[in-house]
Amino acid sequence: MPHEWNAKEYERLGDPMTRWGGQVLERLHLQGNEIVLDGGCGTGRVTEQLVAKLPHGKVIGADASAKMIEEAKERFAGNPRVTLLVADLTEISLPEPVDAILSTATFHWIKDHDKLFTQLAKILKPGGQLVAQCGGVTNIAGVMAAIEEVMRTPPYAAAFEGWHGPWNYATPEETQARLTRVGFTDIDTWLNPEPVTLSSREHLIDYCLTIILGQHILRLPHEQHRAFTEAVVDARLRRAGEPSIDYVRLNIVARRS
Ligand SMILES: C[S@@+](CC[C@H](N)C(=O)[O-])C[C@H]1O[C@@H](n2cnc3c(N)ncnc32)[C@H](O)[C@@H]1O
């Protein structure tokens, strides 16, 4: 299930995602007059770059988090070319199909990729492009080892018993097969490492609280959120020697047949 985000903090801390989003956006072939969905638009930092590429087009930004959409609405206030919706991508419906779908740093938060891609195929015009990037298999494996170490330790262990975590880090092969099954063609899927080193222990704590551990901490009482996050960060620092995150991205380019 999608969870609420601290949108103000995401806006402050989301530099890596904005940078990658700009690179992914370059893979969309646009004339400038299309209607494009940004699926999981967050606060709109990548959406803003998309809007700049569509001087005569329109952008629909959709996100399951009402707080993210609230922040995005502030960003695009008064812009008639941007429509913002609170919507779950596995259930989204639109008044008319779009020319293209962009999605960055979102699909790995969605467990059921069959349902996701089936829905995206429904709202994309025949011939329309799907260009996306999300966490892929082995994403943040080193950080996850630190998270699991702390999750197994009292006083946190009971809260995580039987929970398999929030993410779906798919392989390029299974993603290719899923997209083929639901009607995509010209599919290319691949992984690339994108390691990030943050400026300090404190920076990694804030980043984990808002981004990486957003769903983990919801299983804990509020007074444990910070202590749990600090324990994870310290376990990561012991292992890596620096405030680094071993990101691996899954890239997707496909066309609706
Ligand atoms: C890491 S943020 C990425 C935001 C933006 N695309 C960026 O690159 O900065 C992930 C976003 O995915 C959204 N999300 C997660 N599950 C979703 C779902 N099922 N449907 C729509 N949005 C979802 C979250 O609410 C969050 O805003």
Side-chain angles (χ1 to χ4, degrees):
M1 280 296 287
H3 67 285
E4 259 313 334
W5 285 65
N6 182 336
K8 296 269 179 229
E9 277 296 272
Y10 186 79
E11 178 67 14
R12 182 173 78 83
L13 294 161
D15 286 358
M17 280 63 72
T18 304
R19 189 173 67 251
W20 303 331
Q23 293 161 4
V24 174
L25 181 54
E26 296 299 317
R27 299 176 191 148
L28 260 185
H29 301 294
L30 296 171
Q31 304 295 318
N33 58 357
E34 292 89 343
I35 302 179
V36 182
L37 170 72
D38 184 357
C41 63
T43 62
R45 288 180 63 172
V46 177
T47 324
E48 195 163 51
Q49 301 177 54
L50 174 62
V51 172
K53 288 191 173 279
L54 293 164
H56 307 293
K58 287 187 180 156
V59 171
I60 300 166
D63 199 286
S65 158
K67 290 212 172 99
M68 288 294 213
I69 290 295
E70 213 175 283
E71 188 74 20
K73 280 189 172 163
E74 275 181 37
R75 165 169 268 119
F76 296 110
N79 188 333
R81 293 190 298 111
V82 181
T83 305
L84 295 161
L85 308 171
V86 178
D88 185 327
L89 292 179
T90 62
E91 289 166 3
I92 188 170
S93 65
L94 297 174
E96 52 178 338
V98 292
D99 296 300
I101 297 174
L102 173 76
S103 180
T104 59
T106 295
F107 290 174
H108 57 275
W109 290 103
I110 299 174
K111 288 277 182 162
D112 190 341
H113 278 188
D114 287 321
K115 197 169 173 204
L116 168 68
F117 294 144
T118 300
Q119 204 57 30
L120 296 187
K122 280 189 194 156
I123 59 168
L124 189 55
K125 280 186 191 160
Q129 304 163 78
L130 169 64
V131 170
Q133 187 188 66
C134 59
V137 67
T138 73
N139 191 45
I140 67 165
V143 174
M144 256 158 82
I147 297 171
E148 274 158 22
E149 179 188 315
V150 179
M151 279 168 66
R152 280 196 302 269
T153 311
Y156 309 115
F160 295 109
E161 227 176 76
W163 187 58
H164 300 293
W167 304 301
N168 177 2
Y169 293 142
T171 66
E173 295 76 18
E174 65 193 338
T175 301
Q176 172 117 18
R178 282 192 178 112
L179 288 167
T180 305
R181 279 200 298 275
V182 301
F184 284 90
T185 182
D186 300 332
I187 303 164
D188 200 1
T189 54
W190 73 100
L191 296 172
N192 71 293
E194 284 285 1
V196 166
T197 301
L198 299 181
S199 57
S200 62
R201 173 179 179 270
E202 285 61 41
H203 190 180
L204 185 56
I205 291 169
D206 287 353
Y207 191 94
C208 284
L209 263 172
T210 300
I211 299 173
I212 297 182
L213 299 176
Q215 275 209 20
H216 289 75
I217 59 175
L218 292 179
R219 306 184 75 82
L220 298 170
H222 190 263
E223 59 276 15
Q224 287 182 351
H225 289 188
R226 194 165 181 94
F228 174 77
T229 304
E230 287 184 2
V232 168
V233 166
D234 289 337
R236 174 61 182 161
L237 286 171
R238 272 197 307 280
R239 287 157 185 268
E242 56 176 12
S244 62
I245 308 169
D246 49 340
Y247 280 116
V248 176
R249 313 315 282 169
L250 169 63
N251 299 279
I252 300 170
V253 176
R255 195 170 286 282
R256 178 81 174 91
S257 50

